[in-house]
Amino acid sequence: MPDCLFCKIANKEIPVKLEYENDQVVAFNDINPQAPVHILIIPKAHIEKVSDFDLKHRDLITEFVLVANEIAKKKGILNSGYRMVFNCNKDAGQAVFHVHLHLLGGRQMSWPPG
Ligand code: AMP
Ligand code: ZN
C-alpha cells in the first residue's frame, strides 16, 4: 500500500527502532505513548482493520497475542499486568488503517476505557 505509514515502517522505508520482528509482524514504540510501555504490533502485510480478518489470517491472529506476551515479558510487565487493544473503525477511534495491536502497561489502568 504506497501511502500507508505502517507499511512503510514494516518494510523499513521509514526507519524506526523495532522492539520485535519475525516473518509476520514487527513491533515498535508508539509515537504518542499512553503508558510507560506502549508498543504497536503490526502485520507486515497490509490489512486495514480487524474486521477484515478471516480464517486465512488464523496464524497471524495467534501471532499478535504470542508476540505481545513475549514483549510484555521482555519489558518486565508480564506479572504486573498489561492491556492489548485493537481499535476497529470510527467509534473505536481507529486513526491508522493498517491493523495494529496496542500493548500497554507499566501503570495502573482504569475500566471502562474512554
Ligand atoms: P489507532 O487510534 O488505534 O489507529 O492508533 C494509532 C496509533 O498510532 C496512535 O497511538 C498513534 O500515536 C500511533 N502512531 C501514529 N503514527 C506513528 C508513528 N509514525 N510511529 C509510531 N506510532 C505512531
Ligand atoms: Zn499498510
Side-chain angles (χ1 to χ4, degrees):
M1 246 336 116
D3 281 327
C4 174
L5 173 66
F6 284 2
C7 278
K8 287 180 181 162
I9 290 175
N11 69 28
K12 316 219 169 98
E13 254 178 83
I14 297 177
V16 301
K17 180 180 169 267
L18 296 183
E19 292 289 331
Y20 183 92
E21 178 172 19
N22 69 17
D23 58 329
Q24 295 202 79
V25 302
V26 299
F28 51 92
N29 286 305
D30 195 292
I31 204 168
N32 182 22
Q34 301 302 312
V37 176
H38 187 173
I39 287 174
L40 302 176
I41 302 164
I42 70 169
K44 288 186 169 177
H46 182 81
I47 301 164
E48 274 191 8
K49 51 195 182 301
V50 163
S51 55
D52 294 330
F53 281 151
D54 64 28
L55 285 179
K56 71 173 177 289
H57 300 116
R58 196 194 288 261
D59 287 349
L60 173 66
I61 294 162
T62 303
E63 204 61 24
F64 280 115
V65 175
L66 295 180
V67 167
N69 284 347
E70 197 170 324
I71 296 170
K73 188 173 182 186
K74 195 173 92 180
K75 293 290 177 186
I77 57 170
L78 198 67
N79 295 319
S80 52
Y82 47 102
R83 189 171 284 175
M84 297 182 204
V85 176
F86 282 112
N87 291 321
C88 182
N89 267 328
K90 183 176 75 61
D91 280 0
Q94 184 174 1
V96 177
F97 282 81
H98 177 127
V99 164
H100 47 282
L101 177 63
H102 296 258
L103 169 66
L104 298 137
R107 67 166 170 81
Q108 183 65 54
M109 290 180 208
S110 57
W111 192 262

